Amino acid sequence: MEINIENMRIGTEENFYSYEEFNNLLGDTIEFLKGKGFKSDSKIPIWCHDNLNIIALTLAAISMNACAVLIDAQKKEKEVLDILRMISESRIISDIEKAELQEMEIFEYSIYSIKNRKYNQNMYPVFRTEDEDKDAVIIFTSGSTGTPKGVVRTQKKVMTHMKTMIKTLQITSEDKILHLAPLCHAYGFEHIMAGIYGGGTNTLYNLFAYREILDQMKKQASVVIGVPYQYELLTRMNCTFSSNKLRLLLCATSSLKYRTYNTVMKSWKLPITQLYGSSELSAALVNMEGKNATSVGKTILGVKARINTEGELLIQSSYICERYIGDKYELPVEDGWYHTGDMAIFDQYGGIIIKGRLDSIINVSGKKVCPEEVEKVLISMPGIKEAIVYGKTHETYGNIIAAKFVGESQITESEIKKFCGKYLADYEIPMVIEKVDNILHTTTGKISRKEFS
């Protein structure tokens, strides 16, 4: 597949760059990194808020045959220091105001303030790779169920997967793509790469500017890269429209509420296309057919899927990461199949439906309960916005089902139990129910289950 990106544009609402302008800015970024002592084979930690800074630094690092280490801007000082020690690095690039790290050297960077000289592409081979076996990027898992792990992807894995996603999503130079997902995580990173190398016009957002986003969706956007909670917030605007240009609403990182899907379908006359993947796998399944709203779809080119006797989804993929950084963790691969840890079933169309996490199963008097399935019932009840279900120790029963929910104050525990009784077996109905003001999430919108694991 030939990549022609000379029509590519990238930027924010305020600052847009053509391919040539961005290429020149990357040349200056490479000079900046070299001036700070980074070389080929360096692991370059990137701790930034601004998505344009993140992708400029990442592409510059890859272009100089170094490895970009993407660190979530919301990580606390201790977490950042742990990552730096993990990669044996005492320097970090950041745009975070007043950032301080004990005994570490912070270099401030902003793409908006660097020079914009003209560079020879033969000297700075941006948008290309020199050594496909070199480590290109380290991405950290979300840590929704435990400690985040650093996932290593080579240049070859990054580029071959990116080409497959361009083909799968049919990205062209005609596309105007809104990137709402954070670029420091796998989903956001993969799709900004597909948008850039597909030659599209890529608009990045650092804040969830929902009015501007809806305006772009109405007028000119053709593709939106978002996560479930963002689509849910957009539907609360009660905005109805039909666009001739908008063709793809992509969604990943956590399960999508059916009522959100339904509202979008009715209001915007377009389905939300669900995608399944992980930091280790990259995107592996996409529901491009849209026959079943609850499905994450079928495998992309280069990927195979099966479900074992325990109900766990196994993936065989050309794009699986090389390894985790350090020697603390090993990839859960057996006989060439990656164990996802997700319970799944096939639907009638051959697509895959994710039921929940294998390690979150709750044993209630010898019966297995999938908390995600109970959560789906809870959030389908009018008045409940969000819920988390977990196991709680009980003197008599061993484990019982407990739940916390965010919703209207007038909803009673007995009403919730009565509603659940219409759809769940008695042993699946939460015995302990607590109303809370909010439920903890990761930066990609996943419910954080750390305190219950």
Side-chain angles (χ1 to χ4, degrees):
M1 173 183 175
E2 289 296 320
I3 299 176
N4 181 4
I5 57 175
E6 293 188 1
N7 291 323
M8 188 280 302
R9 297 179 73 240
I10 187 169
T12 63
E13 291 280 279
E14 297 80 24
N15 297 279
F16 249 95
Y17 304 99
S18 67
Y19 165 76
E20 184 178 1
E21 290 169 334
F22 193 57
N23 180 62
N24 291 337
L25 288 168
L26 290 183
D28 277 304
T29 302
I30 291 170
E31 288 293 311
F32 167 84
L33 292 172
K34 288 181 176 179
K36 301 305 179 185
F38 292 106
K39 304 174 183 177
S40 172
D41 293 327
S42 290
K43 290 181 173 63
I44 304 177
I46 299 167
W47 187 34
C48 291
H49 276 302
D50 191 290
N51 278 320
L52 194 57
N53 286 341
I54 292 171
I55 193 60
L57 285 163
T58 301
L59 284 175
I62 295 173
S63 295
M64 58 186 277
N65 255 9
C67 177
V69 182
L70 305 185
I71 303 175
D72 192 326
Q74 294 190 29
K75 285 196 178 297
K76 306 302 181 186
E77 180 177 331
K78 183 184 180 302
E79 296 174 298
V80 177
L81 288 171
D82 286 343
I83 290 171
L84 293 179
R85 293 187 187 105
M86 209 180 298
I87 62 173
S88 302
E89 183 56 72
S90 61
R91 301 163 298 172
I92 190 168
I93 312 296
S94 182
D95 63 7
I96 298 172
E97 189 176 350
K98 297 179 181 177
E100 291 184 10
L101 292 174
Q102 188 178 6
E103 298 178 8
M104 301 291 172
E105 194 169 9
I106 298 177
F107 300 122
E108 293 182 10
Y109 171 88
S110 172
I111 194 171
Y112 311 108
S113 62
I114 63 175
K115 298 174 184 177
N116 191 353
R117 292 171 288 183
K118 192 173 182 64
Y119 287 93
N120 185 329
Q121 280 198 55
N122 294 323
M123 181 179 177
Y124 290 109
V126 293
F127 303 120
R128 304 181 209 152
T129 56
E130 290 183 352
D131 188 344
E132 61 183 23
D133 292 324
K134 281 282 188 75
D135 294 344
V137 64
I138 295 175
I139 298 173
F140 285 83
T141 60
S142 64
S144 58
T145 58
T147 304
K149 298 185 283 288
V151 173
V152 182
R153 298 187 186 180
T154 62
Q155 291 184 8
K156 181 179 181 180
K157 294 292 176 71
V158 168
M159 301 304 283
T160 54
H161 182 263
M162 175 267 298
K163 291 177 184 179
T164 297
M165 292 311 296
I166 291 171
K167 187 174 182 180
T168 301
L169 304 178
Q170 300 175 10
I171 302 293
T172 72
S173 60
E174 299 297 314
D175 277 310
K176 292 180 171 53
I177 308 162
L178 309 186
H179 296 270
L180 312 185
L183 303 191
C184 59
H185 292 286
Y187 173 54
F189 169 73
E190 291 162 14
H191 289 87
I192 186 61
M193 291 294 284
I196 289 173
Y197 282 82
T201 296
N202 299 272
T203 304
L204 308 179
Y205 292 89
N206 299 318
L207 298 174
F208 190 62
Y210 51 87
R211 296 185 191 280
E212 289 86 348
I213 291 165
L214 278 172
D215 189 55
Q216 289 289 317
M217 290 168 65
K218 289 178 188 177
K219 294 178 180 177
Q220 58 180 339
S222 58
V223 178
V224 179
I225 311 295
V227 297
Y229 83 89
Q230 292 171 331
Y231 288 113
E232 183 177 354
L233 290 174
L234 288 171
T235 60
R236 293 181 191 176
M237 297 290 291
N238 296 319
C239 178
T240 300
F241 69 89
S242 180
S243 167
N244 293 328
K245 296 179 180 178
L246 195 60
R247 67 174 183 83
L248 182 62
L249 302 173
L250 202 64
C251 183
T253 73
S254 59
S255 60
L256 177 70
K257 295 176 184 177
Y258 181 73
R259 67 181 175 211
T260 302
Y261 177 94
N262 218 22
T263 301
V264 167
M265 191 69 181
K266 288 180 179 178
S267 301
W268 305 344
K269 309 297 185 292
L270 191 69
I272 296 177
T273 298
Q274 293 198 71
L275 175 149
Y276 174 88
S278 69
S279 301
E280 294 90 343
L281 288 170
S282 303
L285 310 167
V286 187
N287 187 5
M288 294 299 288
E289 296 176 357
K291 294 178 180 178
N292 182 354
T294 61
S295 169
V296 293
K298 299 178 181 179
T299 55
I300 64 173
L301 183 70
V303 177
K304 294 179 181 178
R306 69 181 179 90
I307 298 170
N308 67 13
T309 54
E310 295 174 340
E312 182 185 10
L313 175 63
L314 306 184
I315 298 286
Q316 196 174 75
S317 173
S318 304
Y319 318 112
I320 190 169
C321 71
E322 295 300 304
R323 62 192 182 281
Y324 295 118
I325 56 174
D327 54 8
K328 188 176 179 181
Y329 303 103
E330 288 187 10
L331 288 171
V333 177
E334 186 178 3
D335 297 328
W337 291 89
Y338 177 86
H339 286 250
T340 66
D342 288 318
M343 297 182 66
I345 59 173
F346 284 103
D347 67 11
Q348 66 268 42
Y349 307 107
I352 288 174
I353 298 172
I354 304 298
K355 305 294 286 183
R357 292 290 297 170
L358 196 62
D359 56 11
S360 66
I361 292 294
I362 306 166
N363 192 317
V364 180
S365 301
K367 295 174 179 146
K368 294 180 178 180
V369 178
C370 181
E372 290 89 349
E373 291 297 294
V374 181
E375 288 165 5
K376 287 178 184 177
V377 172
L378 286 171
I379 62 175
S380 70
M381 180 178 179
I384 293 183
K385 296 177 180 177
E386 195 164 38
I388 184 168
V389 171
Y390 55 98
K392 189 170 185 177
T393 303
H394 190 276
E395 291 182 5
T396 304
Y397 301 107
N399 271 333
I400 58 170
I401 304 300
K404 294 183 180 183
F405 76 94
V406 177
E408 297 172 2
S409 57
Q410 64 267 32
I411 298 176
T412 66
E413 184 173 317
S414 60
E415 288 173 334
I416 294 173
K417 289 181 178 179
K418 184 178 179 181
F419 181 86
C420 289
K422 298 176 183 178
Y423 307 98
L424 299 171
D426 289 346
Y427 64 88
E428 295 176 304
I429 298 172
M431 289 183 66
V432 177
I433 301 172
E434 179 187 359
K435 184 181 183 300
V436 294
D437 293 331
N438 58 72
I439 291 171
L440 187 63
H441 289 75
T442 67
T443 52
T444 54
K446 290 182 181 179
I447 289 178
S448 177
R449 301 182 186 271
K450 284 183 182 179
E451 63 177 297
F452 306 110
S453 58

